[in-house]
Amino acid sequence: MIVSLQKFKQKYGLLDEACRQWCAVAVSDKSRMDGVGFGEFYEKLSLEKYKEYRQHPDRFDVTEQGSTTVLPLTVEELRELEELVANTLCGYTDKSVEDVLLGLEIKFAAIKGETVSEGMS
């Protein structure tokens, strides 16, 4: 099961990773010593890693064990999902695929009481 961006950040330890990278560069770039810009750096790193995770989930050990959530879909959402899967299996993807996935992820996160950051694609 693919986890939300919020869960991914927690399970993969992205705050720690961002701090390590920020501090490693701060040794040679003293302008980073005041921490200005770290928030943007952290969000950018998080989105890059999450995108990589979404493309290759098997490379990351962030799966949730023992929990199942049913995602109720409308008929329209089900048809969109079926089309998305068929297109993906045929190797066809475009911006609409990302939009459908984001919409479903937002709905899924709302059911679980989480939030999804925009612009994760």
Side-chain angles (χ1 to χ4, degrees), residues 18-30:
C19 288
R20 279 192 294 278
Q21 288 187 26
W22 184 268
C23 291
V25 173
V27 170
S28 60
D29 182 359
K30 300 297 181 197

Side-chain angles (χ1 to χ4, degrees), residues 11-114:
K11 289 181 174 276
Y12 196 64
L14 285 179
L15 183 57
D16 290 343
E17 177 64 24
C19 288
R20 279 192 294 278
Q21 288 187 26
W22 184 268
C23 291
V25 173
V27 170
S28 60
D29 182 359
K30 300 297 181 197
S31 69
R32 286 193 172 194
M33 294 302 269
D34 62 4
V36 173
F38 177 77
E40 288 178 29
F41 175 78
Y42 170 66
E43 288 303 317
K44 183 179 177 185
L45 175 71
S46 296
L47 292 175
E48 287 173 3
K49 285 289 187 183
Y50 189 67
K51 184 176 182 179
E52 183 181 338
Y53 161 66
R54 296 287 304 249
Q55 292 171 347
H56 306 284
D58 55 312
R59 295 183 187 169
F60 296 82
D61 185 25
V62 293
T63 57
E64 288 189 301
Q65 300 297 324
S67 69
T68 301
T69 302
V70 175
L71 179 59
L73 299 175
T74 65
V75 172
E76 181 180 324
E77 289 169 331
L78 179 59
R79 287 186 180 134
E80 287 178 336
L81 185 57
E82 288 173 339
E83 184 177 340
L84 181 144
V85 170
N87 286 341
T88 302
L89 290 173
C90 294
Y92 173 75
T93 59
D94 63 10
K95 180 67 176 145
S96 65
V97 170
E98 295 174 5
D99 293 342
V100 170
L101 286 175
L102 180 59
L104 291 173
E105 185 161 358
I106 290 169
K107 182 174 184 167
F108 181 70
I111 290 169
K112 292 184 75 176
E114 301 171 357

